[in-house]
Amino acid sequence: MSFFEQIQEQSRQMQQQQGQPVVDKYAHLDKAEREKAEMHDRKLKKLNSLQWSPVSSLPMNFFMMWMSGNEIQMFSIIITGMALYQPMVALKNVGQVFLQFSRDETVKSEVWRCKIVYCVMCLVAFGVGLWKLQGMGLLPTGASDWVDRSPPLYTYVTA
Protein backbone atom coordinates (compact mmCIF):
# COMPACT_ATOMS: atom_id res chain seq x y z
CA MET A 1 0.00 0.00 0.00
CA SER A 2 1.46 3.34 -1.07
CA PHE A 3 1.65 6.42 1.10
CA PHE A 4 -1.17 8.08 -0.81
CA GLU A 5 -3.43 5.04 -0.35
CA GLN A 6 -2.66 4.99 3.39
CA ILE A 7 -3.68 8.64 3.70
CA GLN A 8 -6.91 7.94 1.81
CA GLU A 9 -7.70 4.99 4.07
CA GLN A 10 -7.06 7.05 7.20
CA SER A 11 -9.33 9.76 5.83
CA ARG A 12 -12.10 7.22 5.18
CA GLN A 13 -11.74 5.83 8.71
CA MET A 14 -11.96 9.30 10.24
CA GLN A 15 -15.09 10.06 8.21
CA GLN A 16 -16.68 6.83 9.40
CA GLN A 17 -15.82 7.61 13.03
CA GLN A 18 -17.41 11.05 12.71
CA GLY A 19 -20.56 9.56 11.22
CA GLN A 20 -20.07 11.08 7.78
CA PRO A 21 -21.00 9.00 4.77
CA VAL A 22 -17.96 7.80 2.85
CA VAL A 23 -18.41 8.35 -0.86
CA ASP A 24 -15.94 6.76 -3.23
CA LYS A 25 -16.60 8.07 -6.71
CA TYR A 26 -14.22 5.52 -8.21
CA ALA A 27 -15.65 2.41 -6.53
CA HIS A 28 -16.99 1.04 -9.82
CA LEU A 29 -13.56 1.17 -11.56
CA ASP A 30 -10.83 -1.42 -11.49
CA LYS A 31 -7.43 -0.55 -10.02
CA ALA A 32 -5.73 0.67 -13.23
CA GLU A 33 -8.65 2.87 -14.26
CA ARG A 34 -9.01 4.11 -10.70
CA GLU A 35 -5.37 5.23 -10.56
CA LYS A 36 -5.75 6.91 -13.95
CA ALA A 37 -8.87 8.78 -12.83
CA GLU A 38 -7.25 9.84 -9.54
CA MET A 39 -4.19 11.10 -11.43
CA HIS A 40 -6.47 13.08 -13.72
CA ASP A 41 -8.15 14.66 -10.69
CA ARG A 42 -4.78 15.56 -9.16
CA LYS A 43 -3.68 17.20 -12.41
CA LEU A 44 -6.89 19.24 -12.51
CA LYS A 45 -6.35 20.35 -8.90
CA LYS A 46 -2.78 21.39 -9.73
CA LEU A 47 -4.03 23.33 -12.77
CA ASN A 48 -6.62 25.03 -10.59
CA SER A 49 -4.02 26.08 -8.05
CA LEU A 50 -1.70 27.34 -10.81
CA GLN A 51 -4.36 29.50 -12.44
CA TRP A 52 -4.97 31.41 -9.21
CA SER A 53 -1.30 31.76 -8.24
CA PRO A 54 -0.82 35.37 -9.49
CA VAL A 55 -3.32 36.67 -6.94
CA SER A 56 -2.23 34.43 -4.08
CA SER A 57 0.08 37.15 -2.73
CA LEU A 58 -2.40 39.97 -3.33
CA PRO A 59 -3.53 40.34 0.32
CA MET A 60 0.09 40.71 1.43
CA ASN A 61 0.74 43.23 -1.36
CA PHE A 62 -2.37 45.22 -0.38
CA PHE A 63 -1.18 45.36 3.23
CA MET A 64 2.36 46.39 2.27
CA MET A 65 1.08 49.10 -0.06
CA TRP A 66 -1.28 50.39 2.60
CA MET A 67 1.53 50.47 5.18
CA SER A 68 3.88 52.32 2.82
CA GLY A 69 1.44 55.21 2.35
CA ASN A 70 0.83 57.42 -0.67
CA GLU A 71 3.87 59.62 -0.29
CA ILE A 72 6.69 59.30 -2.79
CA GLN A 73 9.40 57.60 -0.77
CA MET A 74 11.95 54.92 -1.49
CA PHE A 75 10.01 52.18 0.31
CA SER A 76 6.68 52.91 -1.38
CA ILE A 77 8.32 53.12 -4.82
CA ILE A 78 10.06 49.76 -4.33
CA ILE A 79 6.84 48.08 -3.20
CA THR A 80 4.88 49.57 -6.09
CA GLY A 81 7.61 48.59 -8.54
CA MET A 82 7.45 45.00 -7.34
CA ALA A 83 3.65 45.05 -7.56
CA LEU A 84 4.01 46.04 -11.23
CA TYR A 85 7.02 43.87 -12.08
CA GLN A 86 5.81 40.51 -10.75
CA PRO A 87 2.62 40.31 -12.87
CA MET A 88 4.53 41.34 -16.01
CA VAL A 89 7.08 38.56 -15.47
CA ALA A 90 4.26 36.11 -14.75
CA LEU A 91 2.54 37.08 -18.02
CA LYS A 92 5.79 36.63 -19.90
CA ASN A 93 6.29 33.14 -18.45
CA VAL A 94 2.73 31.83 -18.87
CA GLY A 95 3.90 29.24 -21.40
CA GLN A 96 6.52 27.85 -19.05
CA VAL A 97 4.10 27.69 -16.12
CA PHE A 98 1.72 25.40 -18.01
CA LEU A 99 4.34 23.57 -20.08
CA GLN A 100 4.11 20.32 -18.12
CA PHE A 101 0.36 20.17 -18.75
CA SER A 102 0.39 21.31 -22.39
CA ARG A 103 1.85 18.00 -23.54
CA ASP A 104 -0.61 15.88 -21.55
CA GLU A 105 -3.57 14.85 -23.69
CA THR A 106 -5.86 14.12 -20.72
CA VAL A 107 -5.97 17.73 -19.50
CA LYS A 108 -5.11 19.59 -22.70
CA SER A 109 -8.65 20.93 -23.05
CA GLU A 110 -8.47 22.50 -19.58
CA VAL A 111 -5.08 24.13 -20.11
CA TRP A 112 -6.39 26.93 -22.34
CA ARG A 113 -9.09 27.87 -19.85
CA CYS A 114 -6.53 27.90 -17.06
CA LYS A 115 -4.13 30.02 -19.13
CA ILE A 116 -6.86 32.59 -19.73
CA VAL A 117 -7.75 32.73 -16.03
CA TYR A 118 -4.03 32.98 -15.20
CA CYS A 119 -3.59 35.94 -17.59
CA VAL A 120 -6.68 37.67 -16.19
CA MET A 121 -5.37 37.23 -12.64
CA CYS A 122 -2.02 38.70 -13.74
CA LEU A 123 -3.85 41.71 -15.14
CA VAL A 124 -5.78 42.07 -11.87
CA ALA A 125 -2.51 42.05 -9.93
CA PHE A 126 -1.05 44.59 -12.38
CA GLY A 127 -4.15 46.74 -11.90
CA VAL A 128 -3.48 46.83 -8.17
CA GLY A 129 -0.03 48.26 -8.90
CA LEU A 130 -1.53 50.86 -11.22
CA TRP A 131 -4.06 51.74 -8.52
CA LYS A 132 -1.18 52.39 -6.13
CA LEU A 133 0.58 54.57 -8.72
CA GLN A 134 -2.65 56.55 -9.13
CA GLY A 135 -2.87 56.97 -5.36
CA MET A 136 0.69 58.28 -5.28
CA GLY A 137 -0.13 60.75 -8.06
CA LEU A 138 2.38 59.30 -10.52
CA LEU A 139 -0.07 58.45 -13.33
CA PRO A 140 -0.87 61.28 -15.76
CA THR A 141 -4.67 61.11 -15.62
CA GLY A 142 -5.71 64.75 -15.33
CA ALA A 143 -5.81 67.47 -17.96
CA SER A 144 -3.17 69.43 -16.11
CA ASP A 145 -0.71 66.58 -16.65
CA TRP A 146 -0.80 67.20 -20.40
CA VAL A 147 -0.82 71.02 -20.42
CA ASP A 148 2.56 71.39 -22.07
CA ARG A 149 1.40 69.33 -25.07
CA SER A 150 -1.88 71.15 -25.71
CA PRO A 151 -2.11 74.24 -27.91
CA PRO A 152 -2.73 77.51 -26.09
CA LEU A 153 -6.33 78.68 -25.81
CA TYR A 154 -5.42 82.33 -26.37
CA THR A 155 -3.85 84.25 -29.22
CA TYR A 156 -1.14 86.84 -29.03
CA VAL A 157 -2.25 90.30 -30.03
CA THR A 158 0.43 92.66 -31.14
CA ALA A 159 -0.17 96.38 -31.44
Side-chain angles (χ1 to χ4, degrees):
M1 185 180 272
S2 71
F3 178 73
F4 183 70
E5 291 171 346
Q6 289 175 354
I7 298 293
Q8 283 182 333
E9 185 60 35
Q10 289 175 357
S11 174
R12 285 187 194 108
Q13 289 174 358
M14 287 176 56
Q15 287 176 347
Q16 286 175 346
Q17 289 173 355
Q18 295 172 355
Q20 298 176 358
V22 178
V23 179
D24 188 7
K25 61 182 178 180
Y26 303 120
H28 63 283
L29 300 175
D30 64 348
K31 187 173 182 172
E33 291 177 353
R34 179 188 192 111
E35 288 177 1
K36 189 175 178 181
E38 287 175 349
M39 180 61 78
H40 180 72
D41 282 352
R42 280 182 274 190
K43 287 177 183 177
L44 289 179
K45 285 180 184 177
K46 179 66 175 172
L47 274 172
N48 193 28
S49 68
L50 279 177
Q51 73 183 358
W52 294 100
S53 63
V55 293
S56 63
S57 64
L58 217 51
M60 180 191 61
N61 285 345
F62 269 127
F63 180 72
M64 287 175 54
M65 285 191 263
W66 176 68
M67 289 298 288
S68 68
N70 285 339
E71 292 82 27
I72 300 175
Q73 300 171 359
M74 184 67 117
F75 188 65
S76 61
I77 290 174
I78 289 172
I79 289 175
T80 307
M82 288 305 293
L84 293 169
Y85 178 74
Q86 289 173 348
M88 286 191 301
V89 170
L91 272 174
K92 187 183 93 173
N93 296 331
V94 70
Q96 299 230 333
V97 170
F98 293 99
L99 183 64
Q100 62 184 350
F101 297 106
S102 298
R103 298 178 185 148
D104 191 359
E105 293 297 324
T106 59
V107 292
K108 197 168 190 171
S109 63
E110 292 290 320
V111 172
W112 281 104
R113 181 188 59 83
C114 292
K115 281 183 178 181
I116 290 171
V117 171
Y118 183 85
C119 290
V120 168
M121 293 302 114
C122 286
L123 292 176
V124 166
F126 189 75
V128 169
L130 290 178
W131 168 76
K132 179 63 176 178
L133 281 179
Q134 172 65 28
M136 292 170 67
L138 295 176
L139 284 182
T141 55
S144 62
D145 296 325
W146 304 99
V147 170
D148 63 335
R149 305 239 196 281
S150 61
L153 299 176
Y154 56 88
T155 58
Y156 290 106
V157 178
T158 57

Coordinates of all heavy atoms in Angstrom, one line a residue, residues 23 57 98:
V23 N -18.0 8.5 0.5 CA -18.4 8.4 -0.9 C -17.1 8.1 -1.7 O -16.2 9.0 -1.6 CB -19.1 9.6 -1.4 CG1 -19.5 9.5 -2.8 CG2 -20.4 9.9 -0.5
S57 N -0.6 36.2 -3.6 CA 0.1 37.1 -2.7 C -0.6 38.5 -2.7 O 0.0 39.5 -2.1 CB 1.5 37.3 -3.2 OG 1.6 37.8 -4.5
F98 N 2.6 26.5 -17.6 CA 1.7 25.4 -18.0 C 2.4 24.4 -19.0 O 1.6 23.6 -19.6 CB 0.4 26.0 -18.6 CG -0.4 26.7 -17.6 CD1 -0.3 28.1 -17.6 CD2 -1.2 26.1 -16.8 CE1 -1.1 28.8 -16.7 CE2 -2.0 26.8 -15.9 CZ -1.9 28.1 -15.8

